Amino acid sequence: GAVVSQHPSWVICKSGTSVKIECRSLDFQATTMFWYRQFPKQSLMLMATSNEGSKATYEQGVEKDKFLINHASLTLSTLTVTSAHPEDSSFYICSARTPGLAGGEQYFGPGTRLTVT
Amino acid sequence: AQSVSQHNHHVILSEAASLELGCNYSYGGTVNLFWYVQYPGQHLQLLLKYFSGDPLVKGIKGFEAEFIKSKFSFNLRKPSVQWSDTAEYFCAVNAKNTGTASKLTFGTGTRLQVTL
């Protein structure tokens, strides 16, 4: 099946700094990528939908200036957490949808654990 | 907007026991339905999906799910669980025919613990 990678797998940063997380579709081109946040023992919460070459669509309550998303190519989307604070500590997961399956299946990355100290 | 509820938060079963995890959704239109599994320390993997046709769908590792439209349900079943099935299970739904705007909505998940 399709493979989605994320880098880094975990990161620790100091409060006030910014962190960039990369999401890559390795063997397919993803016109749409999604960014989720998962708190311990909770479900995935969609943060934003990213379409290649256009601005991301953010879910209600997600600060677009804090969580910058860039989908510069068909295989790469990045999430930058700006001026991170301890409450931003979480597990961030990206997923990508294969072309031709609009409304269909998504493939998920392994996630990035962010800890802000 | 759609919503998904999973009523079983934590299920503990002995090996060889039968499994049924509940999933109900709320949405006014037609949907695609999914079950994902997240093994400890691993990423989400698709177990099975329903788009149309036979409401009883079979997935990987012996799992199956039945879509009952009248009940807005898509329960996951396995006749005999194994210790290796210990994982978190998520039901998800997206609205059909909404093109690139379509996005998955997840349930809160059910933690399955299988004991030897």
Side-chain angles (χ1 to χ4, degrees), chain A residues 22-98:
Chain A
E22 292 186 347
C23 175
R24 293 181 185 273
S25 56
L26 297 185
D27 49 4
F28 66 99
Q29 294 183 327
T31 51
T32 304
M33 288 185 172
F34 304 86
W35 286 96
Y36 295 85
R37 187 171 176 177
Q38 186 180 27
F39 291 100
K41 299 183 180 181
Q42 294 189 30
S43 186
L44 282 77
M45 300 293 293
L46 180 65
M47 298 174 65
T49 302
S50 167
N51 290 300
E52 188 266 337
S54 62
K55 290 184 178 180
T57 302
Y58 290 81
E59 294 299 300
Q60 193 172 12
V62 178
E63 299 176 61
K64 61 181 181 180
D65 294 330
K66 181 169 186 61
F67 298 99
L68 300 179
I69 292 172
N70 183 278
H71 194 159
S73 76
L74 287 171
T75 59
L76 173 65
S77 176
T78 60
L79 167 68
T80 301
V81 182
T82 62
S83 186
H85 289 96
E87 58 265 30
D88 298 324
S89 298
S90 191
F91 196 54
Y92 293 87
I93 302 172
C94 75
S95 77
R97 187 161 60 201
T98 52

Side-chain angles (χ1 to χ4, degrees), chain B residues 9-113:
Chain B
H9 298 295
H10 188 192
V11 173
I12 303 174
L13 294 173
S14 300
E15 262 203 334
S18 64
L19 169 73
E20 180 160 3
L21 301 182
C23 172
N24 288 89
Y25 71 93
S26 174
Y27 183 66
T30 52
V31 296
N32 300 312
L33 296 151
F34 308 82
W35 274 98
Y36 285 88
V37 61
Q38 187 175 30
Y39 296 104
Q42 296 189 27
H43 62 278
L44 274 112
Q45 301 172 42
L46 182 68
L47 267 182
L48 47 79
K49 60 189 177 187
Y50 172 79
F51 284 2
S52 64
D54 188 343
L56 182 62
V57 293
K58 296 190 183 298
I60 60 172
K61 304 185 180 185
F63 286 90
E64 65 178 31
E66 184 175 12
F67 171 47
I68 301 179
K69 189 175 181 180
S70 61
K71 295 184 178 181
F72 298 89
S73 70
F74 190 56
N75 292 354
L76 180 71
R77 299 194 293 250
K78 185 171 184 179
S80 176
V81 295
Q82 299 174 310
W83 179 79
S84 57
D85 293 324
T86 295
E88 189 89 19
Y89 292 81
F90 294 94
C91 181
V93 61
N94 67 6
K96 197 186 287 291
N97 299 325
T98 53
T100 56
S102 177
K103 49 194 178 186
L104 282 173
T105 299
F106 285 86
T108 51
T110 296
R111 181 174 298 275
L112 172 64
Q113 184 178 348

Side-chain angles (χ1 to χ4, degrees), chain A residues 2-15:
Chain A
V3 178
V4 176
S5 71
Q6 280 185 244
H7 178 80
S9 56
W10 60 270
V11 58
I12 302 172
C13 71
K14 292 186 177 180
S15 187

